[in-house]
Amino acid sequence: MWVHFESMHILVRPVYASVFPVAQGLVMAVGQVLTGQPWTGVWLSVGFMCAASCWMLQGWVSPGWALLGGALAVARFGVFSYWMNSYFGGAVAAAGGALVLGALPRVLRRRDWRDAVAMGAGLAIPANSRPYEGALFALPVMAALIWLIHVRARGLAILAPLLLVLGATALLMGAYFVRVTGSPFRLAYEFYRATFTVAPHFIWQSPRPEPVYHQRVLREFHTRWEMACYSAARAIRSPYGILDKAKTYWRFYLGPFLTLPFLTLPWLWRRLRTRLLLLAGILFSLGLAVEVWHAPHYAAPAMGLSLLLVTQALRQLRQSAGAFAVRAVVLAAVLTPVVGGSAWFSDGRERARFARELAAKGGRHLVLVRYRLTHDVGDEWVYNSADIDHAQVVWAREMDPASNRSLLRYFQGRQVWLAQPDVQPAMLSPYDPSLPPDPPFRFVKLGTDAIEALRSPQDIRRKMLQKVAAEYTQPYRFGCDQWAYFFTELTGVESPDLSQGCFLPGKRGKVVSFEEWFAWLEKQR
């Protein structure tokens, strides 16, 4: 019955798992174990990010400037941003990037195995939170290490602990990938995009053939919403293209006030160390530009880099314009909350309210979710805890009547509810399995094993003929629309698009024999 639990960004085959890397899920799991609330893990990760940012800055600038930069991280990213106030993530990858950037100057100055371990941990965290962006961020760091080892003939002392940490990380990641995708080299996200989606991740890639979507809302999400994003990202003049990406990242990480210190860019460029940091930022930005989707947490591995560049620019501003200018810029930046954090559609409050109400009732519950044809695909209600069978409240998609009855038999003993998110206001009511789904379940090819009502074309043929014979006398004079009505009434599944070959243009009312109509039906997908 996995089809009832299909959802975007979730695998139900070959295993039940998130398609995203594990780091954000792990910190949420820590919060769940410690306090029963996954948000506790988010809170802890944000605290770790702020501490790592201050430690990183201490490796590059004096303690006073490091404290100022750390305070900026707390104010902008640790309090007001959606990294703290949602589950999208960002803080985990940012903490990893800060560890890498903070370890780099320490490794260059001294050969301490602890710095190598910090760098290895920092590289491991983005690899398990934002792998692509983490790799972009790691490239300049790896170049610096190669230079340290080969050009200056130093650094071999830190190579062993670094490789030990990275090797252990690779083994654990490979073991996880095997459990999810069957291959130690295939990420769950890559498997998901290659198997269940149409739009690619990068703008130079071509769309994939459309797979079979059992759920109407998933087809809408993948073939319309995601493809619209793909087309917009490829269009140079599109407002959702490169300029929109640049504005989103700029507004989140800098904003107007933290941009002012970069008026000192000519002086910053003269310093070799700062010039290399700026070049690393440019390389990272180019890597972001070729992605189809964008959100501030995508760039999280480079949050420490942006913070370091801001701190360096503030230092230069103090030399050029005095301390008052620095104080004014910092105060304005702190007092301006971070905006533009998330572009998602729904905050999930109605679903959360229903979940609290059901939990307060006690007992165990099954909620079947019914969407209207006009449903907003960003407002998704079907997702569950890690152990569906033992969850107090289980959320599932309403399907065809036969599949729904099987689901109810499996979860017998639970109180069954119908959730209708698109009713104003959203409605939760006792579920009546005797009523047909409205709208009917989306048609997929006859013989699809996962859809009980469509599993046996022979049974459908036999039952339709019996139904018609019980109500009408031969010869039957029905057109495509009447046969489609009988089919939906019998199965609870909508008919395919009749204009796709069931009748000739302008001949919609023409009489069609049952055999002709059913032969057409069997060819539809």
Side-chain angles (χ1 to χ4, degrees), residues 438-513:
D438 181 25
F441 185 69
R442 177 179 178 267
F443 179 83
V444 292
K445 182 177 174 59
L446 292 187
T448 300
D449 188 64
I451 313 300
E452 193 166 336
L454 304 179
R455 192 170 294 163
S456 173
Q458 295 77 17
D459 283 349
I460 295 174
R461 175 195 293 270
R462 175 177 53 81
K463 291 178 180 179
M464 279 194 67
L465 289 174
Q466 289 176 349
K467 177 180 179 60
V468 173
E471 300 178 17
Y472 300 90
T473 58
Q474 296 193 37
Y476 306 131
R477 301 188 60 79
F478 301 137
C480 289
D481 288 288
Q482 289 165 300
W483 289 120
Y485 172 79
F486 296 144
F487 171 78
T488 299
E489 191 177 35
L490 174 69
T491 62
V493 177
E494 69 176 355
S495 167
D497 184 358
L498 298 174
S499 65
Q500 301 299 312
C502 189
F503 54 83
L504 296 175
K507 302 291 185 180
R508 186 163 194 144
K510 180 183 177 182
V511 173
V512 177
S513 71

Side-chain angles (χ1 to χ4, degrees), residues 107 110-111 145 148-149 152-160:
V107 167
R110 62 193 189 192
R111 288 166 286 178
L145 285 180
L148 175 68
I149 294 172
R152 295 178 57 178
R154 296 173 53 196
L156 290 176
I158 60 97
L159 195 59

